[in-house]
Amino acid sequence: MRVLWWMAASTLFTVACTAEAEPSTGNPGDDERESDEADVTTTEPAAPDPPGSDVLAVQEIVEGLLGRYDDAVNEFVADPSIAEDPTHPVVEDFLALFEPGNEFAQASVEGWVAQAQRGETLAPASPDHPVSLTNIEGTLTTLGDDEVRFAQCAVLRYARLVEGEERERVEELLLPGEGTAVRVEGRWLLDELSTPPGMQGCDMGTGPEGQG
Amino acid sequence: MRAHRTTAVAAATTWALSAAAVATALALGATASPAAAAPGAPCNPANGAQCPEAEDGRPGSNTGGRVVPLDIDIPSGGPKICHNGLIGSWMEAPAGYIPERPADVPADATFWLYLCGRVDGQPWPSPSAAIDDMAWSSDGPPPTEPSPEQVADALWASVQGELVLPTVAVDPPSGGGSVLKNHTFVAITNPQPATTYVARAGDLEVWIDVIPLVTFHPGEPGADAVACDDDGTAYVRNGPEPDAQAGPGTCTHLYTQRTGFGGDPTSWTADVTITWNVTWDSTEANSGGTLAAAPSVTTFPRIVEEMQGVVVNRDGG
């Protein structure tokens, strides 16, 4: 299970009080108008994410990002038509993983739009594993305080359907590749994931948590 | 197909199909169809954007991911052509020579044999030699699937309608003309980025990669052609100075020769030309090629004038 500790950590720096100012009950011009003092809501700016040199901490952050990436990808492949709506929550969640204008993110969404136009969807090949699950392999490499690179493995188990009709079934496909993440305004974001053509098989072998 | 039916039928009736011969023919396999990748499948089917550009032109790869499926009228395969170039004929397989029906074939399907004659008109030495293809079909003789080339031709006819002339916006505008030794900016208001157009015919997928190369020709003698992006370079009115905006790689030109002076024409004829680099490929092995497309050219006149300045004496006179 990916530990989204960074999300929990960020909340330690947020103090929020909720209050509602009651409307004035006095007449206009009434000097004895009562009013409640509105509670003040203060929000301390969250501390920036650790720099790239803090490999272990950043790795956990990136694993969390990949978890959210997989969640979105699995939504898209199940119903790629949602990619056609830029205001759809899944689209917004996905794009929020990247810096605004990120080309990889944009190409991803365009790819799912094309997939929808082809009438193509992917469904899990088995009930206990999503279509796609991405894991970091080994430890990530620091390229700088604001950039890291990592080896990643995508474990795919899917049935491909066209217009609802199954065309192929892949029990397991291990696709090795690389990824990069960047720290933008103190927050780590995904930058790009790539899968070199013609390669299969990952060092980790059987996928996450020893599941075969 | 029917024209050669007599020959095919004659060939069929001159020999008795033996069970062994049919079994041999079946063992040789039906129409050889090399295993192809799943139609349109990128290297990562969950997110094709993870796939780098591939040399073999997979959909969405050579053109940066912009894929446009097109609905086209899929051509009928026409007469089925034998491997020896002749046109044969479908015949329902005689009883006793029908293989076990696969589970995914409808129960009412009939097994058909495609029989071809010999090029020299002689009878085949063995019955199985006449069998060029075989297939199950629920609705008469199996239809001939279009070839990748046929689908590519139909797709290309449709794609050509997508390739339009560039619409050009020039700054200074055409009415105002260019000013000598001041940058002229050329923007393309209908950019046409590199695109992969895709069509499907059953399990066959054909795609055409269109990669545009945009060039601005200023028109004045000796001027080099200027390579431009899909959308050229628009002048930003409240932005940096023109010299700063017209850096390397921009779609701009500094005119150095006046028009309408000393016998020169009243305007230079400039143009923006889109040269189309077009290739096609399909999920069937050993298919693909290049397609010729005429460039799309928009011309426009450029009047180049010298900016008039007023020289003021020190005393204001």
Side-chain angles (χ1 to χ4, degrees), chain B residues 42-269:
Chain B
C43 64
N44 185 324
N47 186 357
Q50 290 191 210
C51 306
E53 289 185 7
E55 291 181 356
D56 62 353
R58 287 294 180 191
S61 56
N62 279 356
T63 56
R66 185 171 185 265
V67 178
V68 177
L70 288 182
D71 284 329
I72 61 172
D73 288 329
I74 301 297
S76 67
K80 184 175 174 63
I81 308 297
C82 303
H83 288 90
N84 61 9
L86 296 180
I87 295 175
S89 181
W90 287 102
M91 181 182 91
E92 286 193 44
Y97 303 108
I98 301 170
E100 185 177 338
R101 182 170 52 81
D104 60 346
V105 172
D108 64 348
T110 307
F111 193 66
W112 293 79
L113 303 176
Y114 193 68
L115 303 178
C116 298
R118 279 173 53 139
V119 173
D120 59 7
Q122 298 301 307
W124 290 103
S126 67
S128 61
I131 301 173
D132 195 77
D133 197 1
M134 58 194 76
W136 291 92
S137 174
S138 298
D139 188 21
T144 305
E145 297 297 330
S147 67
E149 287 78 11
Q150 288 174 307
V151 178
D153 283 345
L155 178 58
W156 179 225
S158 185
V159 167
Q160 288 179 88
E162 304 285 324
L163 310 182
V164 298
L165 291 175
T167 303
V168 177
V170 188
D171 205 315
S174 290
S178 292
V179 177
L180 202 62
K181 297 184 182 176
N182 278 253
H183 292 282
T184 296
F185 291 73
V186 176
I188 297 157
T189 58
N190 61 339
Q192 298 172 82
T195 303
T196 297
Y197 298 92
V198 185
R200 278 177 177 262
D203 285 337
L204 173 68
E205 187 165 282
V206 175
W207 59 90
I208 293 178
D209 287 332
V210 179
I211 300 176
L213 178 64
V214 182
T215 311
F216 163 43
H217 299 98
E220 71 174 349
D224 291 332
V226 180
C228 302
D229 290 338
D230 296 337
D231 59 355
T233 304
Y235 175 62
V236 180
R237 295 210 167 271
N238 297 321
E241 291 297 311
D243 284 348
Q245 292 191 42
T250 58
C251 197
T252 61
H253 179 67
L254 196 76
Y255 282 93
T256 60
Q257 301 173 58
R258 280 182 59 183
T259 55
F261 184 75
D264 285 333
T266 55
S267 65
W268 305 124
T269 301

Side-chain angles (χ1 to χ4, degrees), chain A residues 71-97:
Chain A
D71 289 344
V73 167
N74 289 314
E75 293 277 355
F76 281 123
V77 298
D79 181 11
S81 67
I82 63 180
E84 295 168 345
D85 178 6
T87 64
H88 195 285
V90 176
V91 175
E92 293 182 342
D93 285 347
F94 178 78
L95 293 179
L97 296 169

Side-chain angles (χ1 to χ4, degrees), chain A residues 123-177:
Chain A
S126 63
D128 58 348
H129 192 284
V131 168
S132 178
L133 212 53
T134 310
N135 296 289
I136 293 179
E137 296 212 305
T139 53
L140 50 80
T141 302
T142 302
L143 301 180
D145 279 349
D146 298 323
E147 188 175 6
V148 296
R149 183 176 65 217
F150 52 91
Q152 50 92 2
C153 175
V155 182
L156 278 72
R157 295 172 180 169
Y158 64 92
R160 187 173 68 89
L161 298 92
V162 178
E163 303 295 346
E165 204 175 295
E166 184 172 312
R167 296 294 182 91
E168 70 170 318
R169 178 170 284 263
V170 176
E171 294 302 330
E172 184 173 87
L173 181 62
L174 305 178
L175 297 177

